[in-house]
Amino acid sequence: MSGVLVDEHDLLVLDLDGVVYVGAEAVAGAVETLTAVHRAGTALRYATNNASRTPAQVAGHLRSLGVPAETDQVVTSSQAAARLVTDTLGDAGPVLAVGGPGVADALTAAGLDVVSSADDRPVAVVQGYGPDVGWRQLTEAALAVRAGARWVATNVDPTLPTERGPAPGNGALVAAVRTATGAEPLVAGKPQPTLFQVAARGAHSPLVVGDRLDTDVAGARAAGMRSLLVLTGVTRPEDLLAAGPLERPDLVGADLRCLLEPPRVVPRAPEGGWWVSGTAQVRLHDGRLQVRAGDDDVQMLCAAAAAVWDARDHGRGPDLTEVADQLRDVVTTRR
């Protein structure tokens, strides 16, 4: 597979929701691509902010889709939260688990005493997503936090991808406890670096692959790792154009099949006034997008994003909606 993106890395750290699958269905091209990558010898690890399931359950789901996965290849934000608790508190006392079975399982595996009531005087509360989390669990969490327990959130993702569209994520549930207590949690999952640091142990050149700018890309940057944004989840091209300095990926792909193709790199500097990605050459002039060459939609997006970011960083921010419309017009006209 000489000259393709995956050749540049010894490990892929892959987000799941919106990258490998959405709900119960695999994303187009994911199974075939990851099977080919695995057979070629590149290591795979799956790092998810979804704390509701255990690593064994996640690996089983991946295998049911045809994706190569073993339990020890899965790292969840529940595991990162358990590590955060043990690093800060050791085994000083019981921990209240709020969320799906993945939360309690990770805490137990870390040797912590798991409880379900604030009456047990927990020293910490670990809150993660679970489809059955309701008022009673949130109330126990709020009571424990108000009594002085250290509050750790597995993640604060506002939404969770589903087959029917975005649904409330753990961030929405965390907001309920925040409202009731006035407290702020420590965050174990993305965009904090802990999850990626655990997942990338032993690797020399890991690549983080995700669909979210605010968690996957920002988390990779916080961990000092290269990032690839795929457009199969929540991020739209116009969202990429609007990305702030801490949420800008190194590479972009339509889906995971880009791993087996030459990389679409977001340029970091212009060439003769033009931003170049592959065959695409783009610049902004008086707030208007100008295209000199390009026959690849994603390369065009990479070059346009770089041009917009540079303009915004220098106080010349164009109208993002207008630029996105111009970009769509260029792509449509070329087709």
Side-chain angles (χ1 to χ4, degrees):
M1 295 192 293
S2 178
V4 302
L5 173 56
V6 73
D7 287 345
E8 300 176 1
H9 301 276
D10 62 348
L11 170 70
L12 301 182
V13 180
L14 297 126
D15 178 52
L16 293 175
D17 292 307
V19 175
V20 179
Y21 55 65
V22 175
E25 301 296 326
V27 171
V31 174
E32 300 84 352
T33 298
L34 295 178
T35 298
V37 168
H38 173 69
R39 288 175 177 168
T42 300
L44 300 173
R45 292 203 184 110
Y46 305 98
T48 177
N49 259 3
N50 189 331
S52 63
R53 296 186 293 174
T54 67
Q57 289 172 326
V58 173
H61 179 198
L62 289 169
R63 290 195 297 272
S64 74
L65 297 174
V67 176
E70 300 296 333
T71 298
D72 62 1
Q73 291 176 279
V74 177
V75 181
T76 72
S77 58
S78 289
Q79 291 172 299
R83 173 173 167 176
L84 192 55
V85 170
T86 57
D87 285 350
T88 57
L89 298 176
D91 56 357
V95 179
L96 175 63
V98 176
V103 177
D105 180 83
L107 296 172
T108 300
L112 297 165
D113 178 21
V114 178
V115 298
S116 59
S117 172
D119 293 339
D120 294 311
R121 297 183 179 180
V123 298
V125 174
V126 173
Q127 181 178 358
Y129 172 77
D132 298 320
V133 172
W135 182 87
R136 294 186 184 279
Q137 278 188 293
L138 296 175
T139 296
E140 295 301 323
L143 291 171
V145 170
R146 289 181 69 88
R150 178 70 60 87
W151 183 24
V152 177
T154 60
N155 68 86
V156 289
D157 294 0
T159 61
L160 180 72
T162 75
E163 300 96 325
R164 298 168 62 192
N170 195 52
L173 302 175
V174 166
V177 178
R178 181 188 291 116
T179 299
T181 63
E184 286 292 334
L186 296 175
V187 180
K190 302 173 266 187
Q192 302 303 314
T194 304
L195 183 63
F196 289 134
Q197 291 166 346
V198 174
R201 60 193 182 276
H204 297 291
S205 56
L207 176 66
V208 172
V209 185
D211 71 308
R212 298 186 72 110
L213 300 172
D214 58 342
T215 56
D216 301 315
V217 174
R221 289 181 64 90
M225 299 176 190
R226 201 180 190 203
S227 62
L228 163 66
L229 175 75
V230 290
L231 302 174
T232 49
V234 302
T235 300
R236 304 165 299 169
E238 49 264 46
D239 298 325
L240 180 63
L241 296 178
L246 300 181
E247 299 181 347
R248 296 171 181 174
D250 300 289
L251 306 121
V252 180
D255 55 44
L256 287 180
R257 285 173 285 204
C258 72
L259 292 165
L260 305 180
E261 301 168 351
R264 275 79 166 180
V265 179
V266 179
R268 298 303 179 192
E271 299 178 17
W274 294 82
W275 295 87
V276 179
S277 177
T279 61
Q281 300 181 33
V282 170
R283 72 177 180 182
L284 285 174
H285 181 69
D286 292 333
R288 297 283 301 176
L289 193 69
Q290 295 185 338
V291 178
R292 188 164 68 179
D295 57 8
D296 182 291
D297 293 353
V298 177
Q299 289 176 345
M300 193 80 67
L301 176 60
C302 288
V308 169
W309 297 343
D310 179 69
R312 293 178 65 210
D313 290 348
H314 289 86
R316 305 189 306 272
D319 184 302
L320 296 180
T321 300
E322 184 176 341
V323 172
D325 288 342
Q326 293 169 18
L327 185 60
R328 276 191 289 269
D329 289 344
V330 168
V331 170
T332 301
T333 301
R334 196 180 67 247
R335 288 175 177 170

